[in-house]
Amino acid sequence: PTGTGGGWRPGSGEDHIYPAPKIKWYPDAEKHPSIFEGRDKGLKAPSVRVVQNPPPGSAPGSGPRGPRGSLLVSVVEAVGLAVDSSAEGPGSYRVSAYYPSEASALKVIDDRKSAAKVAVPDARRKTREDCVLDYEVRLPFSTLEQFVKVAVYRQALPTDDLVGEAMLPLADPSVEEQTEYTLMRDFEDYGLLVASARLPRDGDPEDAEDGVVSREEPPMVTQPLTDGSAPPSGTQPPTLSRP
């Protein structure tokens, strides 16, 4: 303010102290008068809902954090893989699944690797090959993880060569459907992966063990017919009845 009545003036060098605001502090929200306004009109005071976080160090999937169980990762195939020009014949591939937090746990990743499957030449591109992996693995479910990584390896000695990794977003509902994901390595595209991830549900067996789920079918045993010949491949032998 300016004028002849005194007070602060620009450049005067004088300090002007404003009066302190009148504030009345309340110990908590329930003590504030606004909570009780309208009671004379038949209104009820709103209830205060307190949200408690889980205690530090609690196990993933315990309490309100989410369900217990296993994450079931299924991999159908990897397509468009680059052919190794130095190898003779098609390559053999393996696959593993792990959380990003397990990226340095090499033994865990290796224990989850599938058996090697031989690829076939791509029908459209001579420099590419496809591999049916038919792989399933169970991972301990954790609500702290937002993604699961699926890595494809080319079988080699002394260690397998990483072809690429795909990231499956667990928060996306479509993750439970077979979807194509890009295999990436060093920010480059190295093929496509067809995979899905099934989150745990109520009613799942509690005794399901984590690890690779075998999907190998037992070999079919053929039995000789009465004339000594074997039935055609893929057919069931007839049932013989005794007289």
Side-chain angles (χ1 to χ4, degrees):
T2 58
T4 59
W8 179 83
R9 294 190 301 275
S12 64
E14 299 177 1
D15 294 332
H16 183 79
I17 301 177
Y18 291 91
K22 297 180 180 180
I23 300 176
K24 183 176 181 180
W25 299 98
Y26 297 91
D28 53 60
E30 293 183 344
K31 301 294 184 181
H32 197 276
S34 62
I35 294 293
F36 304 98
E37 290 179 359
R39 279 193 171 181
D40 55 341
K41 299 179 182 180
L43 301 179
K44 295 182 178 180
S47 60
V48 179
R49 180 174 177 264
V50 179
V51 179
Q52 294 183 349
N53 292 324
S58 59
S62 62
R65 301 191 66 89
R68 294 180 180 271
S70 298
L71 178 72
L72 180 63
V73 178
S74 302
V75 180
V76 180
E77 61 179 349
V79 298
L81 306 175
V83 174
D84 185 1
S85 57
S86 62
E88 296 182 1
S92 296
Y93 296 89
R94 305 176 69 186
V95 62
S96 184
Y98 53 93
Y99 293 116
S101 61
E102 299 175 317
S104 59
L106 301 181
K107 186 179 185 304
V108 172
I109 298 174
D110 194 64
D111 289 343
R112 293 181 186 154
K113 279 186 180 179
S114 66
K117 298 291 184 69
V118 180
V120 296
D122 190 289
R124 297 172 297 174
R125 295 170 292 180
K126 295 182 179 180
T127 59
R128 300 285 175 171
E129 55 189 9
D130 307 331
C131 185
V132 176
L133 296 163
D134 196 27
Y135 164 83
E136 284 189 343
V137 64
R138 293 185 186 275
L139 280 67
F141 181 70
S142 172
T143 56
L144 303 179
E145 302 288 353
Q146 300 182 23
F147 297 90
V148 61
K149 279 188 174 184
V150 179
V152 175
Y153 302 85
R154 181 181 288 108
Q155 191 178 33
L157 293 176
T159 59
D160 298 333
D161 297 329
L162 176 64
V163 175
E165 298 171 317
M167 297 281 283
L168 279 61
L170 300 180
D172 188 350
S174 64
V175 75
E176 297 199 346
E177 303 174 1
Q178 291 184 5
T179 308
E180 288 187 349
Y181 298 93
T182 304
L183 288 169
M184 302 293 295
R185 192 184 81 239
D186 298 332
F187 304 101
E188 294 187 13
D189 178 358
Y190 283 89
L192 293 175
L193 185 81
V194 180
S196 63
R198 180 186 180 277
L199 277 65
R201 297 183 176 90
D202 294 337
D204 285 352
E206 298 182 358
D207 57 348
E209 295 183 0
D210 297 326
V212 178
V213 180
S214 175
R215 299 180 66 180
E216 299 289 340
E217 296 183 358
M220 180 179 294
V221 179
T222 59
Q223 298 179 359
L225 299 177
T226 53
D227 58 358
S229 61
S233 175
T235 61
Q236 296 293 334
T239 302
L240 302 179
S241 60
R242 295 183 180 274

